[in-house]
PDB file of all heavy atoms in Angstrom:
ATOM      1  N   THR A 194      12.400  12.491  28.619  1.00  0.00           N
ATOM      2  CA  THR A 194      12.753  13.864  28.995  1.00  0.00           C
ATOM      3  C   THR A 194      12.119  14.868  28.037  1.00  0.00           C
ATOM      4  O   THR A 194      11.595  15.892  28.457  1.00  0.00           O
ATOM      5  CB  THR A 194      14.288  14.018  29.034  1.00  0.00           C
ATOM      6  OG1 THR A 194      14.779  13.197  30.096  1.00  0.00           O
ATOM      7  CG2 THR A 194      14.707  15.453  29.280  1.00  0.00           C
ATOM      8  N   THR A 195      12.123  14.546  26.727  1.00  0.00           N
ATOM      9  CA  THR A 195      11.595  15.510  25.767  1.00  0.00           C
ATOM     10  C   THR A 195      10.075  15.403  25.597  1.00  0.00           C
ATOM     11  O   THR A 195       9.506  16.061  24.744  1.00  0.00           O
ATOM     12  CB  THR A 195      12.268  15.344  24.392  1.00  0.00           C
ATOM     13  OG1 THR A 195      12.004  14.022  23.923  1.00  0.00           O
ATOM     14  CG2 THR A 195      13.758  15.564  24.486  1.00  0.00           C
ATOM     15  N   SER A 196       9.422  14.563  26.426  1.00  0.00           N
ATOM     16  CA  SER A 196       7.952  14.526  26.397  1.00  0.00           C
ATOM     17  C   SER A 196       7.404  15.325  27.571  1.00  0.00           C
ATOM     18  O   SER A 196       6.205  15.457  27.734  1.00  0.00           O
ATOM     19  CB  SER A 196       7.443  13.088  26.502  1.00  0.00           C
ATOM     20  OG  SER A 196       7.576  12.617  27.834  1.00  0.00           O
ATOM     21  N   CYS A 197       8.308  15.856  28.416  1.00  0.00           N
ATOM     22  CA  CYS A 197       7.891  16.431  29.688  1.00  0.00           C
ATOM     23  C   CYS A 197       7.666  17.939  29.587  1.00  0.00           C
ATOM     24  O   CYS A 197       8.599  18.683  29.289  1.00  0.00           O
ATOM     25  CB  CYS A 197       8.965  16.147  30.733  1.00  0.00           C
ATOM     26  SG  CYS A 197       8.626  16.960  32.305  1.00  0.00           S
ATOM     27  N   PRO A 198       6.421  18.407  29.841  1.00  0.00           N
ATOM     28  CA  PRO A 198       6.155  19.844  29.766  1.00  0.00           C
ATOM     29  C   PRO A 198       7.049  20.677  30.686  1.00  0.00           C
ATOM     30  O   PRO A 198       7.386  21.808  30.360  1.00  0.00           O
ATOM     31  CB  PRO A 198       4.681  19.954  30.183  1.00  0.00           C
ATOM     32  CG  PRO A 198       4.101  18.637  29.809  1.00  0.00           C
ATOM     33  CD  PRO A 198       5.195  17.640  30.068  1.00  0.00           C
ATOM     34  N   SER A 199       7.452  20.102  31.826  1.00  0.00           N
ATOM     35  CA  SER A 199       8.353  20.831  32.719  1.00  0.00           C
ATOM     36  C   SER A 199       9.702  21.060  32.036  1.00  0.00           C
ATOM     37  O   SER A 199      10.297  22.126  32.169  1.00  0.00           O
ATOM     38  CB  SER A 199       8.594  20.032  33.998  1.00  0.00           C
ATOM     39  OG  SER A 199       7.723  20.429  34.992  1.00  0.00           O
ATOM     40  N   PHE A 200      10.175  20.061  31.314  1.00  0.00           N
ATOM     41  CA  PHE A 200      11.450  20.203  30.605  1.00  0.00           C
ATOM     42  C   PHE A 200      11.322  21.170  29.432  1.00  0.00           C
ATOM     43  O   PHE A 200      12.212  21.958  29.170  1.00  0.00           O
ATOM     44  CB  PHE A 200      11.952  18.834  30.130  1.00  0.00           C
ATOM     45  CG  PHE A 200      13.285  18.905  29.430  1.00  0.00           C
ATOM     46  CD1 PHE A 200      14.452  19.080  30.148  1.00  0.00           C
ATOM     47  CD2 PHE A 200      13.363  18.809  28.042  1.00  0.00           C
ATOM     48  CE1 PHE A 200      15.680  19.168  29.504  1.00  0.00           C
ATOM     49  CE2 PHE A 200      14.584  18.890  27.390  1.00  0.00           C
ATOM     50  CZ  PHE A 200      15.748  19.063  28.130  1.00  0.00           C
ATOM     51  N   TRP A 201      10.176  21.130  28.729  1.00  0.00           N
ATOM     52  CA  TRP A 201       9.984  22.077  27.625  1.00  0.00           C
ATOM     53  C   TRP A 201      10.077  23.506  28.143  1.00  0.00           C
ATOM     54  O   TRP A 201      10.670  24.366  27.505  1.00  0.00           O
ATOM     55  CB  TRP A 201       8.596  21.925  26.983  1.00  0.00           C
ATOM     56  CG  TRP A 201       8.323  20.601  26.369  1.00  0.00           C
ATOM     57  CD1 TRP A 201       9.246  19.692  25.910  1.00  0.00           C
ATOM     58  CD2 TRP A 201       7.036  20.001  26.138  1.00  0.00           C
ATOM     59  NE1 TRP A 201       8.605  18.583  25.410  1.00  0.00           N
ATOM     60  CE2 TRP A 201       7.259  18.758  25.538  1.00  0.00           C
ATOM     61  CE3 TRP A 201       5.729  20.421  26.373  1.00  0.00           C
ATOM     62  CZ2 TRP A 201       6.209  17.913  25.176  1.00  0.00           C
ATOM     63  CZ3 TRP A 201       4.687  19.591  26.018  1.00  0.00           C
ATOM     64  CH2 TRP A 201       4.923  18.344  25.430  1.00  0.00           C
ATOM     65  N   SER A 202       9.472  23.746  29.311  1.00  0.00           N
ATOM     66  CA  SER A 202       9.395  25.134  29.768  1.00  0.00           C
ATOM     67  C   SER A 202      10.708  25.574  30.404  1.00  0.00           C
ATOM     68  O   SER A 202      11.005  26.759  30.411  1.00  0.00           O
ATOM     69  CB  SER A 202       8.227  25.333  30.740  1.00  0.00           C
ATOM     70  OG  SER A 202       8.538  24.742  31.978  1.00  0.00           O
ATOM     71  N   ASN A 203      11.501  24.648  30.921  1.00  0.00           N
ATOM     72  CA  ASN A 203      12.796  25.042  31.461  1.00  0.00           C
ATOM     73  C   ASN A 203      13.808  23.915  31.283  1.00  0.00           C
ATOM     74  O   ASN A 203      13.767  22.913  31.989  1.00  0.00           O
ATOM     75  CB  ASN A 203      12.666  25.420  32.937  1.00  0.00           C
ATOM     76  CG  ASN A 203      13.917  26.129  33.433  1.00  0.00           C
ATOM     77  OD1 ASN A 203      15.023  25.872  32.957  1.00  0.00           O
ATOM     78  ND2 ASN A 203      13.742  27.036  34.378  1.00  0.00           N
ATOM     79  N   GLY A 204      14.701  24.117  30.340  1.00  0.00           N
ATOM     80  CA  GLY A 204      15.689  23.097  29.981  1.00  0.00           C
ATOM     81  C   GLY A 204      16.706  22.815  31.080  1.00  0.00           C
ATOM     82  O   GLY A 204      17.523  21.903  30.938  1.00  0.00           O
ATOM     83  N   ARG A 205      16.646  23.572  32.175  1.00  0.00           N
ATOM     84  CA  ARG A 205      17.591  23.290  33.259  1.00  0.00           C
ATOM     85  C   ARG A 205      17.098  22.161  34.162  1.00  0.00           C
ATOM     86  O   ARG A 205      17.854  21.639  34.983  1.00  0.00           O
ATOM     87  CB  ARG A 205      17.846  24.554  34.079  1.00  0.00           C
ATOM     88  CG  ARG A 205      18.664  25.574  33.275  1.00  0.00           C
ATOM     89  CD  ARG A 205      18.802  26.880  34.015  1.00  0.00           C
ATOM     90  NE  ARG A 205      19.651  26.747  35.200  1.00  0.00           N
ATOM     91  CZ  ARG A 205      19.792  27.704  36.126  1.00  0.00           C
ATOM     92  NH1 ARG A 205      19.132  28.837  35.989  1.00  0.00           N
ATOM     93  NH2 ARG A 205      20.581  27.517  37.154  1.00  0.00           N
TER      94      ARG A 205
END
Side-chain angles (χ1 to χ4, degrees):
Chain A
T194 294
T195 60
S196 75
C197 174
S199 265
F200 182 76
W201 298 336
S202 73
N203 193 329
R205 290 174 69 189

